[in-house]
Amino acid sequence: VLLKLLTLSSAATSMWMGGRAPPPPPPVSCKCPPMGLETLKIDDFQLHASTMRRYGLGAHRGRLNIQAGLYDDDLYDGAWCAGRNDPLQWLEVDARRLTKFTGVITQGRSSLWSSDWVTSYKVFVSNDSHTWVTLKNGSQDLIFIGNKEKEIPVLNMFPVAAVARYIRVNPRSWFNRGSICMRVEILGCPIRNEITTTDNLDFKHHSYKEMRHLMKVVNEMCPNITRIYNIGKSHSGQKLYAIEISDNPGEHEPGEPEFRYTAGSHGNEVLGRELLLLLMQFMCQEYLSGSPRIRHLVHETRIHLLPSVNPDGYDKALEVGSELSGWSLGRWSQDGVDIHHNFPDLNSILWEAETKKWIPRKMLNHHVPIPEWYQSKNSTVAAETRALVSWMEKIPFVLGGNLQGGELVVTFPYDRTRSQGVSREQTPTPDDHVFRWLAFSYASTHRLMTDARRRVCHTEDFAKEDGTINGASWHTAAGSMNDFSYLHTNCFELSMYVGCDKFPHESELAEEWENNRESLLVFMEQVHRGIKGIVWDMQGRGIANATIQVEGIGHDIRTAADGDYWRLLNPGEYSITVRAEGYSASSKVCEVGYDIGATRCDFTVSRTNLSRIKEIMERYNKQPIRQPLRPPVRQLQARRPGPRHRRVRTS
């Protein structure tokens, strides 16, 4: 049967190939990967159409899962829409080489205001873009069933793998109250596969069980530098596993900063999950092979990788597969919560205190407390979010990145606009210059983020902004993980949107790893930029919770349990002041250089007289030392009775 399916009659073959002899039939494959309309591997010049309604609805917008702007007349709209509604319209993809086409995935138009989708279509293939052959089922043209609404992707596999260079989708019917509009992905295998990486890693999508097994394999390969632990459970009871990579796993070491990567808070954005699984494999292999760079990172940093924050959501997306999960299936937790934006809104608390001039008299500019209502059992807080909050409070993280999907950009706090009722507004933190550098360190070393020649993923051209953007100037969001981390802990947190495709096909993972590998390492190395040190008392003991203030920056940090601290700063000279309860303040100037490696800046502080008195009072159960009260010497002399003498008058 397979042989019959792959064999064409001589007349049909001549027509198929435009009069040229066909190549030998390729091996039969059940399903080829996506060619890359969604991931932008197929560029705009490879997409053509019979007509278009306007430029914003041109062929270049006919990509699976592409998102529209807010209004229908936007330059970046959410589909290809034909200029006329008739059966002569088509959307064409030029593969630029012989390709085995095996299927088509379609969606309707992304729009808040319009309802447009194609309900059936034919498929044509060609080798010269002039002579076209219709895919057939026997002697009849194949009519593929399209969409029933505009968002859920529909997959149609070809009964016969078609080998050609060009492919056209020809709409035959459409929603009766709409127009011909489509978003498309083509499944196809190039005749010659490309080698995209030399790293010997496990490039596949991992189920929850497979993820646990892979982490265990890494731990067994590198038992001296890795430790697996869990930070809590998901709503359905799946453990949230993390792996620690350091030269002394399980123990915080003074002077060694804590770094974290998390991924998968939106369960359908799976590329970050796989990148972290690849990263832990890569670091283990490179460490064993003696890589100086990786060994230095491991010996000088305590690294934590949490690959799946939302395993319940991931399971939903995985069940339907990489191309059919759409834009949102699996995004939320099992109980319907957006985990990344489920943190307490500390921005409003801080800004209100600043407006009322409560800082620093009534409230500090850092470690903003979590409201009591948020901590109650009845609050709408996901189990995964509570686990993250506990983890972030337990470990003194210095720098973190959460990997997201669906775009190519790095965002940094604040994520919420300060002006009420404003959806987009630059809202910088006091550490804006540091955050901009951190974001650029990732974006500039990514293979695509800052490439001005690449096309936009959806509607925003972030390459013009060096691949970075302030979160609030993109879209405001209260209670984000980034803002919470900055305001409640010492950790500077950023979001890396690592690919246009939230759920890329397995065949794309090697290339996505190459796109992100250097960025992942460079960003980790930034944890060693700025100043670090220990705050001691006069007896050489570390002082916990001492405040580190940088003159001119209205955001302080605190020392960890052993008195050690890390303060991320850009190169320059800074006046640093240390304050601790019961101790005299101490200041010095510390210089940060351009080379990676934090400047050592230790402090030794002495007790205040008042604190010594309080210590003595506590030693005596808070009772003052009772001694006989003695009046001052002068008072005693004034009161002391002298011998009585009669006054003798003299003349």
Side-chain angles (χ1 to χ4, degrees):
V1 173
L2 290 175
L3 193 60
K4 182 179 179 181
L5 290 174
L6 286 170
T7 304
L8 299 169
S9 66
S10 58
T13 302
S14 176
M15 182 179 178
W16 187 296
M17 302 305 297
R20 293 184 293 274
V28 177
S29 173
C30 176
K31 182 180 177 182
C32 286
M35 293 180 58
L37 275 78
E38 183 176 7
T39 62
L40 308 184
K41 199 172 182 181
I42 298 294
D43 64 42
D44 287 352
F45 298 104
Q46 294 175 259
L47 301 176
H48 308 279
S50 52
T51 59
M52 63 181 178
R53 191 180 304 175
R54 53 184 169 76
Y55 180 76
L57 294 167
H60 64 292
R61 302 297 295 173
R63 301 172 180 270
L64 191 73
N65 284 321
I66 203 165
Q67 299 297 294
L70 181 60
Y71 303 105
D72 275 354
D73 59 351
D74 200 298
L75 181 63
Y76 300 107
D77 220 316
W80 161 67
C81 290
R84 301 187 303 273
N85 289 331
D86 61 49
L88 301 178
Q89 307 306 308
W90 45 261
L91 178 65
E92 176 186 309
V93 179
D94 176 6
R96 289 182 175 165
R97 55 181 168 174
L98 284 179
T99 301
K100 182 177 69 173
F101 299 114
T102 61
V104 174
I105 303 170
T106 59
Q107 280 175 310
R109 176 183 177 185
S110 169
S111 171
L112 294 174
W113 315 105
S114 303
S115 297
D116 304 303
W117 60 85
V118 170
T119 56
S120 68
Y121 59 89
K122 292 182 180 181
V123 174
F124 302 88
V125 291
S126 172
N127 262 359
D128 57 11
S129 77
H130 298 293
T131 305
W132 294 88
V133 174
T134 309
L135 295 194
K136 295 181 179 292
N137 185 9
S139 60
Q140 295 184 342
D141 292 353
L142 274 170
I143 303 290
F144 296 98
I145 303 300
N147 298 84
K148 296 180 179 179
E149 55 86 67
K150 57 188 176 184
E151 286 299 337
I152 299 177
V154 173
L155 166 67
N156 279 298
M157 299 296 296
F158 302 160
V160 180
V163 178
R165 170 176 170 174
Y166 301 90
I167 185 169
R168 279 183 182 176
V169 178
N170 166 225
R172 307 299 295 179
S173 62
W174 45 93
F175 179 51
N176 58 10
R177 292 194 296 274
S179 304
I180 295 177
C181 295
M182 302 184 77
R183 290 178 285 169
V184 174
E185 181 62 88
I186 306 295
L187 306 183
C189 300
I191 299 302
R192 292 189 182 91
N193 289 322
E194 298 176 3
I195 298 175
T196 57
T197 184
T198 58
D199 294 330
N200 182 26
L201 306 175
D202 189 18
F203 295 104
K204 61 169 287 185
H205 288 298
H206 296 80
S207 67
Y208 181 77
K209 184 177 180 180
E210 292 168 336
M211 179 189 74
R212 286 188 306 167
H213 176 71
L214 177 60
M215 295 174 75
K216 185 178 179 182
V217 168
V218 172
N219 177 240
E220 290 173 350
M221 284 179 60
C222 297
N224 295 329
I225 62 167
T226 61
R227 174 180 71 100
I228 299 173
Y229 64 100
N230 75 82
I231 69 166
K233 294 183 178 180
S234 70
H235 183 269
S236 68
Q238 298 189 91
K239 292 181 178 178
L240 308 180
Y241 285 106
I243 191 166
E244 177 193 342
I245 304 175
S246 71
D247 60 348
N248 193 12
E251 291 188 27
H252 171 73
E253 298 181 73
E256 191 171 288
E258 307 267 0
F259 176 91
R260 69 168 179 254
Y261 271 133
T262 61
S265 58
H266 298 148
N268 62 328
E269 297 171 10
V270 306
L271 178 55
R273 170 190 175 113
E274 296 306 328
L275 287 176
L276 293 191
L277 294 177
L278 292 167
L279 180 62
M280 62 182 72
Q281 296 174 65
F282 176 79
M283 293 192 71
C284 175
Q285 291 179 11
E286 291 293 295
Y287 185 89
L288 293 177
S289 67
S291 165
R293 183 185 190 184
I294 300 302
R295 281 185 167 267
H296 182 266
L297 257 177
V298 172
H299 291 161
E300 300 297 327
T301 322
R302 193 174 176 216
I303 302 162
H304 304 259
L305 307 178
L306 176 60
S308 189
V309 171
N310 182 7
D312 299 347
Y314 174 79
D315 289 345
K316 290 181 181 179
L318 183 65
E319 186 177 355
V320 298
S322 64
E323 306 311 313
L324 302 181
S325 58
W327 191 250
S328 60
L329 180 64
R331 174 184 177 90
W332 298 279
S333 66
Q334 187 70 25
D335 52 342
V337 175
D338 185 334
I339 296 172
H340 186 69
H341 299 107
N342 190 220
F343 293 82
D345 177 15
L346 303 184
N347 305 59
S348 298
I349 297 174
L350 176 68
W351 294 337
E352 181 183 6
E354 289 177 347
T355 301
K356 294 180 177 180
K357 302 187 184 305
W358 286 354
I359 296 175
R361 185 169 49 89
K362 290 185 177 181
M363 201 176 94
L364 301 175
N365 64 9
H366 63 287
H367 284 73
V368 179
I370 298 175
E372 289 186 10
W373 66 263
Y374 183 88
Q375 302 180 62
S376 68
K377 293 183 179 180
N378 296 328
S379 61
T380 308
V381 181
E384 297 87 345
T385 313
R386 293 190 190 276
L388 284 171
V389 169
S390 176
W391 184 50
M392 294 160 74
E393 290 179 329
K394 181 180 179 182
I395 299 175
F397 291 111
V398 179
L399 179 61
N402 54 83
L403 306 188
Q404 310 284 335
E407 259 299 349
L408 276 172
V409 67
V410 180
T411 70
F412 51 89
Y414 290 122
D415 287 336
R416 178 172 184 177
T417 58
R418 185 157 187 165
S419 302
Q420 293 185 357
V422 178
S423 61
R424 290 188 177 194
E425 178 184 65
Q426 282 281 346
T427 311
T429 67
D431 285 287
D432 189 57
H433 292 297
V434 177
F435 273 115
R436 288 182 181 276
W437 167 255
L438 294 171
F440 185 69
S441 72
Y442 193 99
S444 63
T445 49
H446 189 280
R447 288 174 65 186
L448 297 175
M449 277 190 190
T450 57
D451 186 353
R453 297 168 298 175
R454 73 170 180 88
R455 75 174 303 282
V456 299
C457 290
H458 302 287
T459 63
E460 306 277 355
D461 189 358
F462 293 115
K464 291 181 179 178
E465 306 294 333
D466 293 325
T468 70
I469 193 170
N470 171 254
S473 67
W474 183 18
H475 50 68
T476 186
S480 77
M481 182 176 179
N482 296 351
D483 290 1
F484 172 81
S485 179
Y486 179 68
L487 294 175
H488 185 67
T489 73
N490 286 345
C491 185
F492 287 43
E493 181 91 9
L494 294 85
S495 293
M496 291 78 177
Y497 291 78
V498 292
C500 298
D501 189 350
K502 291 184 175 183
F503 197 153
H505 190 272
E506 234 168 54
S507 64
E508 305 285 343
L509 292 178
E511 184 171 354
E512 293 293 357
W513 167 247
E514 287 295 317
N515 288 342
N516 287 277
R517 179 183 58 191
E518 182 64 15
S519 300
L520 290 166
L521 297 175
V522 167
F523 185 74
M524 270 195 285
E525 291 168 339
Q526 304 313 303
V527 76
H528 295 284
R529 186 174 294 280
I531 60 173
K532 67 177 181 180
I534 300 178
V535 178
W536 313 93
D537 65 13
M538 299 301 290
Q539 286 71 44
R541 296 171 299 197
I543 301 174
N545 292 320
T547 301
I548 310 297
Q549 298 176 327
V550 182
E551 184 179 342
I553 300 178
H555 180 80
D556 306 333
I557 64 164
R558 294 183 185 177
T559 56
D562 296 314
D564 47 335
Y565 76 91
W566 306 264
R567 201 352 171 149
L568 297 177
L569 292 167
N570 286 342
E573 284 190 352
Y574 299 90
S575 176
I576 312 297
T577 299
V578 169
R579 301 180 189 277
E581 186 176 356
Y583 294 86
S584 299
S586 178
S587 300
K588 66 170 63 174
V589 174
C590 303
E591 183 176 355
V592 178
Y594 285 89
D595 295 333
I596 286 291
T599 301
R600 187 82 188 208
C601 203
D602 295 328
F603 291 83
T604 301
V605 293
S606 59
R607 302 290 296 273
T608 62
N609 291 333
L610 180 60
S611 69
R612 291 194 185 99
I613 293 172
K614 288 181 178 180
E615 182 181 9
I616 293 171
M617 291 178 67
E618 289 175 359
R619 190 178 301 172
Y620 290 93
N621 296 322
K622 295 188 178 180
Q623 296 296 321
I625 303 171
R626 298 190 178 276
Q627 292 180 347
L629 294 178
R630 299 180 63 185
V633 176
R634 291 182 180 177
Q635 189 176 346
L636 288 174
Q637 291 175 347
R639 290 181 180 179
R640 186 179 298 144
R644 294 185 178 179
H645 299 284
R646 285 185 182 178
R647 289 186 178 180
V648 180
R649 289 188 178 184
T650 58
S651 57

